[in-house]
Amino acid sequence: MKLQFYNTLTSVKEAFEPEDKNKVKIYSCGPTVYNYPHIGNLRSFMFVDTLRRTLKLLGYGLNQTMNITDIDDKIIRDSITENTTVEKFTQKWIDIFFEDLQTLKIEKVENYPRATETIPDMLRMIETLENNQLTYQKDGNIYFSIGKFHEYGSLSKLDVTGIKSGARYDADEYEKDDVRDFALWKSPKQEDEKAWESKFGKGRPGWHLECSAMIRKIYQSGIDIHTGGIDLIFPHHENEIAQSRGAYPQDHFVKYWLHCEHLLVEGQKMSKSLGNFYTLRDVIAQGYDPLSIRYLLLSFHYRTKLNFSFSRLEESKKAIAKLQNTLDRVLELTNFQVEKGLPKGYAREGYNKFLEGLCDDLNVPKSLGEIFEFIKKVNNSLDSKSLSEGELLDITSYFHNVNSLLQVLSFEKSLLDSEIEALIDKRNQARKDKNFKLSDEIRDDLLKKGIKLEDSKTGVKWKRI
Ligand code: AMP
Ligand code: ZN
């Protein structure tokens, strides 16, 4: 099966040929940690998860990196308002970012470098760019001179012929019709602003520099895949190319550029500045299961816009229930035995069709369509009681493998209320006998099956979580 990706650089789907199949090098632009991520941000991280889990399913080994921007204009502004240090301010938001990833079952990648830990590497890069005569100083800042870098505009297909030489920007973010030289190093604007000493004077890096410096630090030369939201193509990724290729013209930088479309609300991009956003916590507080959110974000192709709505979350919940229902019917018959290898017989063709969708530029909707076709077939076979033990086990392996991507299915037997109560009685007896090892085991086993026990003065209470 041939894996292909749509490459923003060439505007076509290309066969994926990494340098080393056992160590695919992927860099993904990560969060700026100054607030709760909204579910639009989380869509771009879910896309990274889809890419990661697909490559793993197809047998690739990975070395993936996501940066954490823990210094920028907004972080400085908000930490000063809160009268706290940049470190304390960002740590809180970093913790929340990882909690949200866990809630959505987004797998951790190998490296999460922070901008503030990469300052020496960024300074070295500025020096190299200076040696290559691509920079200039103005008012204590160092700028990249885009007019001197001939590849500028190649990713975003900008026509740079009419640009004003020497027009520049200090701000980290700006619009596409405002092509200007961008800051590599910025002198402090206020006295209490976080800044580092350097040979270029006291200051801090421009936002674009960290990604170029981290890729150089972690991977030495180039990488296979670079990802980000579509809004990052310009200026951020264009500037990354300028910095990395400008500093090391002999090395390739990125082979495949993959960009994820936006999550919209009523037709507009979900964004903090427009105020039309929901955090993950907002949506969960309204009674929605995080897995419905995961499924919704996963179920639209990453290169299509997705209009967020609560009715779509309801549909996702129903879709998960439909899959789980068929899986439960099968598990009842295998006595909850699950085969973890690849499907070999009954489910092999269906599984290959599922993979074909993913291989076609991560076409998850196509793969999900194949899953629903497959469960229709399984339900019919279950209705006619025509499945052998081997076929049933093959179906469990199908579900096990597709769930490595989906992460929304449960393979545990759900306990009846009477079974839970019997286990609580057994635990109470164990506690009376001072057999705390057994009582803890029972509590932990129940928790794994989604039952939480709460000891209170009036006895043990339980709830399904
Ligand atoms: P930030 O934390 O603002 O640096 O953004 C983190 C990631 O979220 C970036 O890759 C953005 O491109 C992406 N992003 C921001 N808004 C949206 C949105 N509405 N839909 C999808 N991705 C988004
Ligand atoms: Zn970046």
Side-chain angles (χ1 to χ4, degrees):
M1 228 171 285
K2 233 183 166 165
L3 174 60
Q4 46 176 8
F5 293 127
Y6 179 87
N7 188 349
T8 310
L9 188 65
T10 54
S11 310
V12 287
K13 278 188 204 170
E14 292 176 16
F16 180 57
E17 281 156 9
E19 208 173 283
D20 178 357
K21 195 176 180 303
N22 298 316
K23 204 175 172 191
V24 178
K25 293 174 272 185
I26 307 176
Y27 184 91
S28 302
C29 290
T32 307
V33 282
Y34 73 108
N35 209 323
Y36 291 100
H38 58 61
I39 51 176
N41 300 131
L42 291 166
R43 184 185 190 196
S44 76
F45 306 139
M46 264 303 297
F47 157 60
V48 175
D49 195 57
T50 307
L51 173 65
R52 176 177 177 83
R53 290 182 184 275
T54 296
L55 288 170
K56 283 173 75 174
L57 263 179
L58 295 170
Y60 292 91
L62 306 178
N63 184 343
Q64 212 172 346
T65 299
M66 180 176 278
N67 66 310
I68 294 185
T69 302
D70 60 351
I71 186 82
D72 89 328
D73 296 344
K74 290 172 289 209
I75 291 169
I76 290 188
R77 178 194 68 197
D78 292 356
S79 59
I80 291 175
T81 310
E82 285 191 17
N83 204 10
T84 184
T85 61
V86 161
E87 290 77 7
K88 274 201 193 129
F89 176 78
T90 52
Q91 190 55 54
K92 172 180 160 194
W93 298 113
I94 290 172
D95 293 344
I96 284 172
F97 164 70
F98 283 115
E99 272 171 41
D100 282 3
L101 293 194
Q102 200 175 10
T103 307
L104 285 180
K105 298 206 179 173
I106 294 177
E107 193 170 65
K108 277 196 165 184
V109 301
E110 284 71 21
N111 318 296
Y112 287 101
R114 298 183 187 188
T116 55
E117 295 165 353
T118 319
I119 304 286
D121 307 86
M122 293 197 241
L123 287 167
R124 259 197 303 281
M125 195 159 224
I126 301 179
E127 246 183 285
T128 312
L129 289 168
E130 192 182 41
N131 291 339
N132 294 356
Q133 293 166 3
L134 290 167
T135 64
Y136 62 92
Q137 295 211 20
K138 182 86 188 161
D139 305 330
N141 299 340
I142 313 272
Y143 294 93
F144 186 101
S145 181
I146 60 170
K148 292 194 182 146
F149 179 69
H150 303 301
E151 283 173 41
Y152 201 81
S154 59
L155 181 70
S156 51
K157 319 287 181 289
L158 276 181
D159 178 9
V160 292
T161 40
I163 57 161
K164 263 196 284 168
S165 154
R168 57 197 159 264
Y169 247 119
D170 294 354
D172 286 330
E173 289 166 65
Y174 46 91
E175 298 298 322
K176 194 164 176 162
D177 47 16
D178 226 345
V179 190
R180 300 189 187 193
D181 294 343
F182 59 92
L184 296 164
W185 192 252
K186 310 202 243 190
S187 61
K189 306 277 171 296
Q190 313 180 33
E191 227 174 78
D192 49 358
E193 195 174 302
K194 173 91 184 164
W196 287 262
E197 296 293 346
S198 84
K199 69 173 267 201
F200 308 106
K202 210 170 164 191
R204 66 183 170 90
W207 166 47
H208 313 292
L209 190 57
E210 67 189 66
C211 297
S212 289
M214 286 168 180
I215 290 171
R216 190 78 194 170
K217 183 179 186 182
I218 295 170
Y219 301 107
Q220 288 77 54
S221 65
I223 53 171
D224 297 299
I225 303 176
H226 195 314
T227 78
I230 197 158
D231 53 322
L232 299 186
I233 298 175
F234 184 87
H236 184 54
H237 289 163
E238 201 66 72
N239 292 352
E240 274 189 43
I241 294 174
Q243 293 161 159
S244 297
R245 297 271 307 135
Y248 308 103
Q250 71 284 5
D251 292 337
H252 102 93
F253 179 41
V254 174
K255 196 161 175 193
Y256 306 92
W257 285 94
L258 271 57
H259 289 100
C260 165
E261 254 293 356
H262 284 144
L263 184 75
L264 311 180
V265 188
E266 286 160 11
Q268 272 194 308
K269 177 189 169 191
M270 180 178 285
S271 78
K272 279 174 198 142
S273 54
L274 288 174
N276 62 347
F277 65 91
Y278 297 99
T279 67
L280 186 56
R281 286 140 216 260
D282 293 336
V283 183
I284 293 171
Q286 296 205 31
Y288 292 92
D289 184 345
L291 296 187
S292 303
I293 305 168
R294 176 176 171 93
Y295 187 93
L296 174 61
L297 297 177
L298 185 69
S299 61
F300 279 71
H301 188 247
Y302 77 94
R303 285 195 297 117
T304 59
K305 293 184 171 57
L306 161 57
N307 232 320
F308 175 76
S309 72
F310 288 98
S311 62
R312 286 217 154 116
L313 282 180
E314 292 293 347
E315 285 163 23
S316 296
K317 186 176 169 188
K318 281 189 201 139
I320 299 173
K322 211 163 154 187
L323 298 175
Q324 186 68 49
N325 186 40
T326 304
L327 173 59
D328 286 346
R329 287 181 76 188
V330 174
L331 289 173
E332 280 296 331
L333 296 170
T334 66
N335 214 2
F336 288 84
Q337 198 184 325
V338 178
E339 183 66 49
K340 297 197 171 151
L342 289 173
K344 301 189 272 287
Y346 180 94
R348 198 172 99 179
E349 192 192 334
Y351 183 66
N352 284 342
K353 285 186 176 163
F354 161 79
L355 288 184
E356 270 167 30
L358 296 180
C359 284
D360 180 12
D361 191 30
L362 306 174
N363 194 337
V364 180
K366 194 164 156 200
S367 294
L368 284 174
E370 295 297 347
I371 295 179
F372 283 101
E373 279 302 313
F374 178 74
I375 64 163
K376 213 188 281 172
K377 175 175 147 185
V378 175
N379 283 334
N380 285 338
S381 303
L382 286 166
D383 290 346
S384 61
K385 300 194 169 42
S386 60
L387 293 165
S388 68
E389 204 176 306
E391 285 171 333
L392 286 164
L393 282 174
D394 207 48
I395 297 168
T396 64
S397 80
Y398 175 93
F399 278 107
H400 171 78
N401 280 286
V402 299
N403 198 49
S404 318
L405 171 73
L406 304 182
Q407 296 291 308
V408 295
L409 297 173
S410 161
F411 293 81
E412 301 284 340
K413 186 176 182 181
S414 45
L415 295 173
L416 299 172
D417 289 5
S418 57
E419 289 172 319
I420 296 168
E421 270 140 29
L423 282 165
I424 291 175
D425 287 346
K426 194 172 163 196
R427 177 170 174 261
N428 287 341
Q429 189 56 49
R431 295 213 298 181
K432 266 190 210 146
D433 301 341
K434 302 217 175 324
N435 186 349
F436 296 113
K437 187 167 171 278
L438 178 62
S439 82
D440 286 351
E441 262 170 30
I442 296 172
R443 186 198 57 209
D444 295 345
D445 281 352
L446 282 168
L447 192 59
K448 272 191 215 142
K449 294 186 169 122
I451 312 295
K452 190 168 167 41
L453 301 189
E454 274 159 16
D455 295 315
S456 74
K457 284 195 185 112
T458 53
V460 179
K461 291 189 182 136
W462 65 269
K463 62 176 181 195
R464 293 184 197 273
I465 50 169

